Amino acid sequence: MHKVIIALASNHEQLDNMAEARRRLSRLLVAARYTPALWTEPIGHSTSSMYLNQLAEALTDLTATELVCRLKDIELAMHRTELDRQQQVVRIDLDLMRYDSERYHEKDWQRPYIRQLLPYVTMREDR
């Protein structure tokens, strides 16, 4: 089994979409634990709604490539579209942040909300 951290975010019907994402992730992940959810201002654009962010820490037997594909499948199944992206609507965004010792989305690790949520996961970065 592989240890993973996944970032979840939504700025549209946030509570419902985050709950649906967690439900769908439960089919992929073992022993998933979630950090508290954190409301944040949008980064890089000002016309969108507040974001709800959360990290998931879990185990999986999928490869990193398989897991990323499954995360994108969940986004599509939850109706994430290019039109929404253009309108700055994020129904759900699921990003693999860490797979065992390998980090992904390197720039996101420095975002304040990620740094604020990291103490809740056991795979956190050494400070």
Side-chain angles (χ1 to χ4, degrees), residues 34-97:
Y34 293 88
T35 66
L38 181 65
W39 289 97
T40 62
E41 295 285 340
I43 297 174
H45 46 86
S46 60
T47 59
S48 71
S49 302
M50 294 281 289
Y51 277 81
L52 190 58
N53 299 279
Q54 192 169 43
L55 296 178
E57 180 179 40
L59 300 173
T60 185
D61 59 356
L62 298 171
T63 67
T65 301
E66 290 169 334
L67 182 56
V68 168
C69 287
R70 297 278 184 90
L71 296 177
K72 297 308 160 197
D73 289 345
I74 291 172
E75 291 177 350
L76 289 173
M78 291 181 64
H79 309 291
R80 185 161 190 202
T81 66
E82 184 56 37
L83 179 59
D84 280 351
R85 185 181 305 263
Q86 292 169 6
Q87 295 175 345
Q88 300 177 346
V89 172
V90 179
R91 294 174 193 278
I92 195 67
D93 184 32
L94 302 171
D95 291 327
L96 177 60
M97 297 295 292

Side-chain angles (χ1 to χ4, degrees), residues 7 10 16 20 24 26-27 47 56-57 61 64 76 82 88 92 95 101-102 106-107 112 116 127:
S10 176
D16 290 341
E20 177 64 15
R24 290 172 185 260
S26 71
R27 298 177 192 151
T47 59
E57 180 179 40
D61 59 356
L76 289 173
E82 184 56 37
Q88 300 177 346
I92 195 67
D95 291 327
S101 62
E102 182 145 359
E106 203 54 49
K107 66 179 171 110
Q116 193 171 345
R127 297 185 203 266

Side-chain angles (χ1 to χ4, degrees), residues 5 8 11 24 41 52 76 96 98 103 114-115 119 126:
I5 296 175
L8 297 79
N11 76 351
R24 290 172 185 260
E41 295 285 340
L52 190 58
L76 289 173
L96 177 60
R98 190 164 182 157
R103 287 179 15 159
I114 296 289
R115 296 190 64 75
D126 292 330

